[in-house]
Amino acid sequence: MTSRYLEGRTALVTGSVSGIGLAVAQALASAGARVAVHGLATVEEAERAVVAMRAAGAPEARFFAGDLRDAVAISGMMAAVEAWGGPDILVNNAGMQKTARLSEVSDETWDGLIAVNLSAAFHTMRHALPKMAVKGYGRVINIASVHGLVASEAKAPYVASKFGLVGLSKVAALEYASAGTRESGGVTVNCICPGWTETALIEPQIVARAATHGGDRAAGVAELLAEKQPSRRMSDPAEIGLLVMWLASPLAHNITGASIPVDGGWTAQ
């Protein structure tokens, strides 16, 4: 297997203008994939992400807009990506997070998190998987969370959405397990379940913890990790990108329906 084993493939990564999504898209670009970038972004932010894909090695990259709370908008985005040549690889990465006690969660918060974190993946997969099956090759990699495997207080919508994403992925994996061959690469559907990872998504939680330590951010991070993550080390988004890149390879043709934790031992407890 060469280092450019994704040449001729097209990857769509939702939420790929920053954080884990950007790192995932760059990893796929480095293996030769054309990259469809997506996210809530200004024109300048979108262009920077596209430039970053080309710098990472993508032969082509383009930004696609689409509000993931809107099924019609998702259909339009998927049609546009299909017209561009794909996707052969779909990474559902875009996500929302908000902490609140169950009794304090608003209807708007619940609906928004479920729509972006769970329903959007259903809509993208519904469009992409039948075409992957016809080709005999396809990779769906859903960025779930450690909270798709275990729960935490004050995260009801987030935990519900991520548990749902893990279940949705297992069903899709079963339905498409026989598509393709070892030679063609097959069609697989998997989840990656990160623990604490250095992204903007968790910054509000760090700030809240830091406030109890006089604004000391390092102390806030240490407190967060000590509670849950035995390694007491955060993951870097690039580490998630490398795992996605491997799951997209021909070698991973028989890995499907898995939920792979990258959590420093959190779910081993």
Side-chain angles (χ1 to χ4, degrees):
M1 186 175 70
T2 69
S3 62
R4 301 281 292 178
Y5 55 82
L6 294 180
E7 285 185 341
R9 305 292 190 190
T10 299
L12 166 61
V13 184
T14 67
S16 49
V17 295
S18 64
I20 289 175
L22 177 63
V24 165
Q26 287 175 309
L28 295 171
S30 74
R34 302 163 75 241
V35 179
V37 178
H38 164 271
L40 295 175
T42 64
V43 173
E44 292 77 16
E45 289 168 338
E47 181 56 28
R48 278 199 298 271
V50 167
V51 169
M53 295 308 108
R54 293 174 181 148
E60 293 182 77
R62 186 181 297 180
F63 180 80
F64 293 83
D67 186 340
L68 297 185
R69 296 167 296 184
D70 183 343
V72 174
I74 294 171
S75 293
M77 177 185 72
M78 295 304 292
V81 177
E82 184 62 34
W84 193 53
D88 303 294
I89 301 158
L90 169 64
V91 183
N92 284 302
N93 164 77
M96 295 172 59
Q97 162 79 291
K98 186 170 183 178
T99 57
R101 305 292 296 182
L102 184 64
S103 60
E104 299 166 353
V105 174
S106 68
D107 292 348
E108 181 182 14
T109 295
W110 176 269
D111 291 344
L113 264 71
I114 295 297
V116 173
N117 295 357
L118 176 57
S119 297
F122 163 74
H123 291 300
T124 59
M125 291 164 65
R126 180 167 59 91
H127 285 282
L129 278 164
K131 298 178 178 67
M132 292 176 177
V134 170
K135 295 177 183 177
Y137 168 87
R139 297 289 186 268
V140 176
I141 300 156
N142 293 323
I143 307 301
S145 168
V146 66
H147 284 115
L149 303 172
V150 295
S152 292
E153 293 183 11
K155 295 182 180 178
Y158 189 74
V159 170
S161 68
K162 295 301 186 177
F163 264 74
L165 185 58
V166 168
L168 171 65
S169 302
K170 288 179 180 292
V171 172
L174 292 173
E175 291 186 0
Y176 287 90
S178 63
T181 64
R182 184 169 62 185
E183 290 71 28
S184 70
V187 177
T188 68
V189 183
N190 293 291
C191 284
I192 296 175
C193 300
W196 293 117
T197 306
E198 294 189 51
T199 67
L201 192 67
I202 66 166
E203 191 60 26
Q205 295 175 72
I206 293 173
V207 170
R209 295 300 182 99
T212 68
H213 295 276
D216 186 335
R217 188 178 186 279
V221 169
E223 184 179 304
L224 274 176
L225 269 62
E227 283 184 7
K228 303 282 189 179
Q229 196 146 307
S231 70
R232 301 198 181 190
R233 298 188 298 272
M234 280 199 185
S235 296
D236 187 276
E239 298 162 19
I240 310 301
L242 289 172
L243 179 52
V244 169
M245 187 169 70
W246 186 78
L247 286 172
S249 77
L251 294 174
H253 70 95
N254 241 352
I255 300 175
T256 194
S259 299
I260 304 171
V262 185
D263 64 2
W266 184 334
T267 54
Q269 298 176 99

